[in-house]
Amino acid sequence: MDHNIVKNFNERFCKEEYEDNGLLKSFNLTLEDNFNFGYDVIDAIAKEEPEKLALLWCNPDGDEKRFTFSDLMKKSNQTANMLLANGVKKGDMVMCVLKRHYQFWFTTIALCKIGAVLIPATNQLTKKDYVYRFNSGSVSYLIATSEGDVAEHAEAAMEEYDGIKKKFLVKGNREGWIDFDEEIEKFPDTLERIESKLDDKMLAFFSSGTTGYPKMVIHAHDYAAAHIITAKHWHNLNDESLHLTISETGWGKAMWGKMYGQFIMGATVFVYDFDKFVPAEILGLISKYKITSLCCPPTMFRFFIKEGMDGYDLSSLQYATVAGEALNPEVYNKFYEYTGVKLMEGFGQTETVAAVANLVGSTPKPGSMGKPVPLYDIDIVDEDGNSVPDGETGEIVFRTEGKKNYGLFKEYYNSPETTKKAWHDGLYHTGDTAWRDEDGYFWYVGRTDDVIKASGYRIGPFEIESVLVEHPAVLEVAVTGAKDPIRGHVVKATIVLTKDYKDKASDSLIKQLQDHVKKQTAPYKYPRIIEFVEELPKTISGKIRRVEIRERDNAND
């Protein structure tokens, strides 16, 4: 490949300056008002280098598919034409529950080209989750996998929500659903450009919180381009990279590592379409396909180490990044001992791209998130918004006045109050706390709003508490994160039993409550630890003090 193509392509979007030692000094995006990832990235590369490999997909059954940039252009055009013919138009909200199926890439790019809004969702949702998301997201169309019980849960939710105009099924057929794979083949693979604006809505994520149900985070088209900072300066990708980010497409991390920045860099995205994470399988794939770059949560690196990496050829691995939860220095050191590759930690949110990171060329401090990326003005402040001195814990904020903050979310959908609460007086408040050392490195402390990070998932206590209190045994409950040597943190439920169950606390009841949660919401949210207590710690106003439960648990470790 002509290496100048991607180089010139990147120069079209961004301006960079470097320190004498090679570290990134400044980074600014220069985007045209009609920038659209589908046309200006996928199609542009396809026209210059049609045979450049974009996506390498495989599954546990041994199936394998390779898609060039030309393939993605044509398949996304067919998908866009099919969706347009079925009524999808600019601004429509389209939910996609597609696991790691390659059709997700066709659909994401197609929706971007149309100007419709993609709402990724995990396949682990149940009826209750769909009802909430359909209503709060004003969802008009659904594209889902035929695997598992996704269709059943979605159909059950549609009995309470009548806004779904049409629904499409991938990898199968079902009464009342349009066969996605069969239908797109009826449509041409060319598409006349549909104009969009940089500030138009492009993507919507549901992000868990503690004071209510998940918030809906809206991103505009600039979000895609801002992930150059993620892929180029954190993942260290180029047009010869084969990159694996281990994330299901229902999560924001998939967009960080399987879509936007990777393709802008001309890299090949590696996708393993699995259901259950098996460390040996991933290690074997790195060896078999000669994967050069890997990104996943610390929990997965712990499992790799526990599995033992001596029997695998990991010599192709040139770079590794980690995010999603705090990195234990022991994991960093063990992985480096096995592979000679340093884990480069980073930090961001559903609302952002990579914001604090150990960027390419930096010397990581094991356990530190790194330093703020030069795309943003990031600080650590006290409750009054004043900068705190080095060594003092405060909230991580973005100072947003006087500049265009590419990649930062647009708003919380249909919730101006929630948006204003997080973003006011020139500051976007992340809700995450950290302290800064004398060298400018940030060290993560925790969430201000109690969101639990377990095995790479972000879990809001409120959702689990809402399910548990529906059980007749539960009078009151507080859900927190408890430390775990393997997963980092696990979900813990501290429960006050109702009068009829006061004398029935047992392992059997614990199992019953865990199964109740698994049936009512996504299974990964169930509490692995349940403790029965006489009363919960509360403030004078009656609010449960989860922090007191966590402090007590930590003191008992």
Side-chain angles (χ1 to χ4, degrees), residues 237-278:
L237 302 183
N238 56 53
D239 54 13
E240 294 183 345
S241 300
L242 179 59
H243 178 75
L244 169 60
T245 285
I246 303 177
S247 174
E248 195 236 297
T249 61
W251 303 101
K253 193 65 171 64
M255 297 306 187
W256 278 51
K258 303 167 95 80
M259 183 66 67
Y260 299 124
Q262 291 66 39
F263 289 146
I264 289 174
M265 292 307 300
T268 300
V269 172
F270 183 87
V271 178
Y272 183 47
D273 195 355
F274 66 93
D275 284 318
K276 182 179 180 181
F277 172 70
V278 179

Side-chain angles (χ1 to χ4, degrees), residues 329-389:
E330 183 182 359
V331 174
Y332 175 97
N333 293 327
K334 285 286 187 183
F335 191 80
Y336 181 67
E337 179 185 326
Y338 275 115
T339 65
V341 175
K342 298 176 180 178
L343 294 178
M344 306 296 274
E345 189 172 356
F347 161 84
Q349 298 182 310
T350 308
E351 290 86 347
T352 75
V353 298
V356 180
N358 291 279
L359 296 182
V360 175
S362 64
T363 302
K365 293 185 179 183
S368 167
M369 298 186 294
K371 298 180 180 181
V373 303
L375 178 61
Y376 302 114
D377 180 4
I378 295 175
D379 198 3
I380 299 176
V381 302
D382 61 21
E383 293 181 355
D384 297 318
N386 301 312
S387 300
V388 300

Side-chain angles (χ1 to χ4, degrees), residues 447-458:
R447 285 289 297 167
T448 58
D449 63 0
D450 295 318
V451 167
I452 302 163
K453 292 185 177 182
S455 297
Y457 294 120
R458 287 169 53 84

Side-chain angles (χ1 to χ4, degrees), residues 90-152:
K90 182 177 179 180
D92 281 342
M93 311 296 275
V94 183
M95 180 175 284
C96 293
V97 191
L98 291 177
K99 300 173 70 175
R100 296 173 176 85
H101 304 338
Y102 53 80
Q103 290 89 344
F104 177 80
W105 280 260
F106 305 167
T107 304
T108 297
I109 299 165
L111 292 174
C112 185
K113 288 179 175 180
I114 292 171
V117 182
L118 166 70
I119 307 175
T122 174
N123 70 93
Q124 298 183 56
L125 300 179
T126 61
K127 173 191 171 182
K128 189 185 189 79
D129 301 310
Y130 282 112
V131 170
Y132 169 74
R133 284 161 174 77
F134 286 164
N135 278 297
S136 60
S138 306
V139 178
S140 298
Y141 297 89
L142 174 65
I143 305 173
T145 176
S146 63
E147 295 182 355
D149 50 11
V150 171
E152 288 86 344

